[in-house]
């Protein structure tokens, strides 16, 4: 935190040095005196600005921020609903902090707006790149002000800290400081209200136990539904002989049973569900909302819900359960899908990973695990050194030790155990787990050269269809970038033969083309032509199996879509 010359200061310094040089060469002493005067003025301004640096080094300026309890009575935030964010500064020094520029550093899904409505931060940017807010902090005073925090996507997100840029009154010297103050926020997808799902599995299949759903079955069950005329295939032992004698027609008894329906939700988390839009406007966000709405409707209807997510492999799997605890477990799995850190699903080398963790420890924890100088050639210390993305040398053993100490001070989350993270080494798995728990965002990989999304979809479908009872299986996927669809189609056909009810929902993308030039829009449309053609062929093949494929733009549409399918499902029941 040392003062440095700003752009204006560099111009003044360069001008003064040029005057001195030209005056010396041309023997023009007034010009030399003018240059010396400019340089001397810079030295005086530097001496006047140095006490501000001492103020930061002695921690005479304190910062805190929080979300008021009355803003989130339930303790959680919801996508698209802004909340108030309060900031507090205490200046214990005798100096006034004037013209300070504040830049919040937060997760990419959080958007912070100032009191005037101007956007301060939307992405996890560097100090010099992000827009800022100007404030004035008087000496020996406490300053409070309010900002607006708008969550754009569901997940576990973080407010990491505040970057402060202080400029002197003449704009000659500038100083940067960072105030780490990590605050975690849990953002839930909007749980659309709706009636319990009206779909039922097909009849003639065993179910686990009784439940709130009425299932029409031929002659079986405890409650009489109706008397109807005999049709080919009805068992003769269910003929109602008294009614037959009374009407003169062959009549059978139709009963209904109370069953428990199991809903299995399968969500695609591949790169095609993330491309083309910022976090909060991706197809994955629409899929999260769809799964959350379906899970809530099923749980409130007294049914069971299971959840799985897939890419080129099965990523998550939650066994079916019932009641509010199962809904919470399902939502927890959904919130983790924007924080994937597995080595085979992220586009980050080991050096880049260590560099990201080292930078985080330096800024947030005040711990520098980078070596100032390389060890001697042949030293055993080289075994514990990793070269970072910028060529810096990072002590891996020290990094792991500090990561373990940092994680030991944090409450454990059962869904984020180390064994669930795939990495080539156990030490790298610890670093990736640290990235997830601290909100260090790792870029999701763009493509895979060793596996196909069709394999992951088939694996998820096989696990869902392996149950003995009939289930209602919902696949949420954009059906793009599937190079080998035959495996997925065979698994869908097998699930259909096992008398599972299947539905494929294709989520829409909520972003528009604002900010794109005509040339960029044309290139995007050309690239998307082949993908749309392949998607159309896959849609046609899935419909040929008798599985509905429906486009859904938001979670609010899912109820009307499912209700429209009720008659089709009832016609399948015998």
């Amino acid at each position: 935190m040392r003062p440095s010359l700003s752009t204006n200061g560099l111009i003044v310094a360069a001008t003064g040095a040029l005057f001195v040089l030209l005056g010396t060469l041309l023997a023009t002493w007034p010009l030399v005196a003018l240059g010396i005067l400019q340089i001397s003025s810079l030295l005086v301004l530097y001496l006047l600005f140095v006490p501000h640096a001492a103020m930061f080094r002695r921690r005479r300026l304190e910062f805190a921020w929080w979300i008021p309890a009355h803003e989130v009575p339930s303790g959680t935030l919801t996508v698209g609903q802004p909340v108030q964010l309060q900031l507090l500064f205490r200046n214990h020094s005798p100096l006034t902090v004037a013209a300070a520029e504040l830049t919040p550093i937060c997760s990419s899904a959080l958007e912070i707006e100032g009191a005037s409505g101007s956007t301060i931060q939307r992405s996890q940017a560097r100090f010099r790149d992000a827009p800022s807010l100007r404030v004035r902090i008087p000496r020996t005073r406490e300053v409070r002000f309010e900002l607006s925090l708008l969550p754009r996507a569901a997940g576990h997100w973080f407010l990491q800290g505040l970057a402060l840029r202080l400029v002197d009154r003449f704009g000659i010297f500038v100083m940067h400081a960072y105030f780490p103050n990590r605050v975690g926020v849990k953002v839930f997808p909007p749980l659309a209200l709706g009636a319990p799902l009206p779909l039922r599995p097909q009849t003639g299949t065993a179910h686990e136990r009784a439940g709130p759903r009425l299932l029409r079955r031929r002659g079986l069950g405890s409650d009489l539904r109706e008397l109807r005329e005999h049709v080919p295939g009805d068992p003769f032992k269910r003929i109602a002989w008294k009614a037959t004698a009374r009407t003169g027609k062959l009549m059978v008894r139709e009963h209904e049973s109370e069953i428990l329906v199991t809903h299995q939700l399968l969500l695609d988390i591949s790169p095609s569900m993330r491309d083309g839009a910022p976090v909060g406007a991706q197809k994955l966000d629409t899929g999260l909302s769809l799964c959350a709405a379906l899970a809530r409707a099923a749980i409130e209807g007294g049914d069971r819900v299971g959840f799985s997510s897939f890419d080129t492999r099965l990523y998550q799997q939650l066994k079916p359960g019932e009641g509010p605890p199962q809904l919470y477990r399902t939502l927890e799995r959904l919130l983790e899908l924007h924080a994937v850190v597995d080595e085979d699903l992220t586009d980050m080398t080991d050096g880049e990973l260590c560099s990201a963790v080292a930078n985080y420890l330096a800024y947030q924890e005040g711990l520098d695990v980078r070596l100032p100088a390389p060890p001697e050639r042949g030293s055993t210390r080289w075994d514990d050194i990793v070269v970072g993305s910028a060529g810096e040398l990072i002590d891996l053993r020290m990094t792991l030790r500090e990561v373990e100490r940092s994680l030991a001070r944090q409450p454990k989350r059962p869904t984020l155990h180390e064994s669930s993270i795939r990495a080539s080494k156990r030490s790298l798995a610890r670093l990736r787990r640290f990235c997830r728990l601290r909100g260090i965002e790792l870029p999701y990989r763009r493509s895979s050269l060793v596996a196909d999304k069709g394999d992951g979809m088939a694996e998820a479908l096989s696990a869902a269809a392996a149950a003995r009872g009939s289930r209602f299986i919902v696949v949420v996927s954009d059906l793009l970038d599937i190079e080998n669809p035959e495996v997925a189609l065979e698994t869908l056909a097998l699930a259909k033969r096992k008398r599972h009810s299947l539905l494929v929902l294709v989520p829409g993308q909520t972003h528009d083309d604002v900010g794109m030039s005509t040339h960029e829009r044309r290139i995007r449309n050309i690239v998307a032509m082949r993908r749309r053609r392949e998607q159309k062929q896959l849609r046609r093949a899935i419909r040929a199996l008798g599985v509905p494929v429906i486009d859904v733009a938001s979670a609010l549409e899912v109820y009307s879509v499912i209700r429209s399918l009720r008659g089709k499902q009832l016609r399948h029941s015998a």
Side-chain angles (χ1 to χ4, degrees), residues 372-438:
E376 297 180 358
R377 181 177 299 179
S379 175
T380 57
R381 293 189 60 190
W382 283 106
D383 297 336
D384 300 323
I385 293 178
V386 178
V387 180
S389 57
E392 71 275 20
L393 300 180
I394 302 172
D395 191 333
L396 182 59
R397 179 178 297 181
M398 182 186 300
T399 303
L400 292 174
R401 184 172 63 250
E402 298 300 336
V403 164
E404 292 295 336
R405 289 179 180 177
S406 179
L407 293 180
R409 299 190 296 267
Q410 175 174 329
K412 294 184 179 180
R413 284 162 55 185
T415 59
L416 296 181
H417 48 84
E418 188 175 312
S419 60
S420 64
I421 298 176
R422 291 196 180 187
S424 57
K425 299 179 181 179
R426 186 177 179 182
S427 58
L428 297 178
R430 295 177 186 175
L431 297 183
R432 291 181 177 274
R433 177 172 175 264
F434 179 79
C435 291
R436 176 183 286 180
L437 293 174
R438 288 293 185 266

Side-chain angles (χ1 to χ4, degrees), residues 45-90:
L45 292 176
Y46 179 82
L47 295 177
L48 293 176
F49 197 59
V50 163
H52 289 84
M55 174 183 64
F56 289 120
R57 284 196 299 268
R58 296 172 185 174
R59 300 182 179 180
R60 305 298 299 274
L61 188 63
E62 298 178 353
F63 159 74
W65 55 7
W66 67 92
I67 299 175
H70 66 272
E71 289 285 326
V72 281
S74 61
T76 58
L77 306 182
T78 305
V79 174
Q81 295 185 3
V83 296
Q84 185 185 88
L85 179 64
Q86 293 193 358
L87 278 73
L88 169 67
F89 273 98
R90 287 195 183 101

Side-chain angles (χ1 to χ4, degrees), residues 76-143:
T76 58
L77 306 182
T78 305
V79 174
Q81 295 185 3
V83 296
Q84 185 185 88
L85 179 64
Q86 293 193 358
L87 278 73
L88 169 67
F89 273 98
R90 287 195 183 101
N91 187 1
H92 299 283
S93 70
L95 301 175
T96 298
V97 180
E101 297 181 0
L102 307 180
T103 303
I105 306 300
C106 60
S107 300
S108 59
L110 301 180
E111 183 175 292
I112 300 178
E113 295 184 354
S116 60
S118 58
T119 300
I120 297 178
Q121 170 78 16
R122 182 161 183 178
S123 61
Q124 199 168 6
R126 296 182 179 273
F127 299 162
R128 298 178 185 271
D129 299 335
S132 57
L133 175 70
R134 286 181 174 269
V135 297
R136 183 178 184 273
I137 308 173
R139 58 183 182 179
T140 65
R141 292 292 181 88
E142 179 179 289
V143 177

Side-chain angles (χ1 to χ4, degrees), residues 267-276 282-285 309-313 315 337-338 340 345 444-448 451-454 456-457 476-482 509 531:
L267 178 60
D268 180 5
I269 62 169
S270 63
S272 63
M273 295 282 285
R274 304 169 186 262
D275 288 347
Q282 300 172 350
K283 288 179 284 187
L284 178 61
D285 297 294
S309 59
F310 64 91
D311 186 357
T312 55
R313 60 175 174 86
Y315 177 67
L337 295 180
H338 274 300
V340 178
L345 299 178
Y444 203 85
R445 63 163 180 78
R446 297 182 178 179
S447 61
S448 176
D452 181 51
K453 185 168 73 174
M457 181 184 292
V476 182
S477 173
D478 60 355
L479 303 179
L480 291 175
D481 297 340
I482 300 180
Q509 199 157 288
R531 302 175 70 190

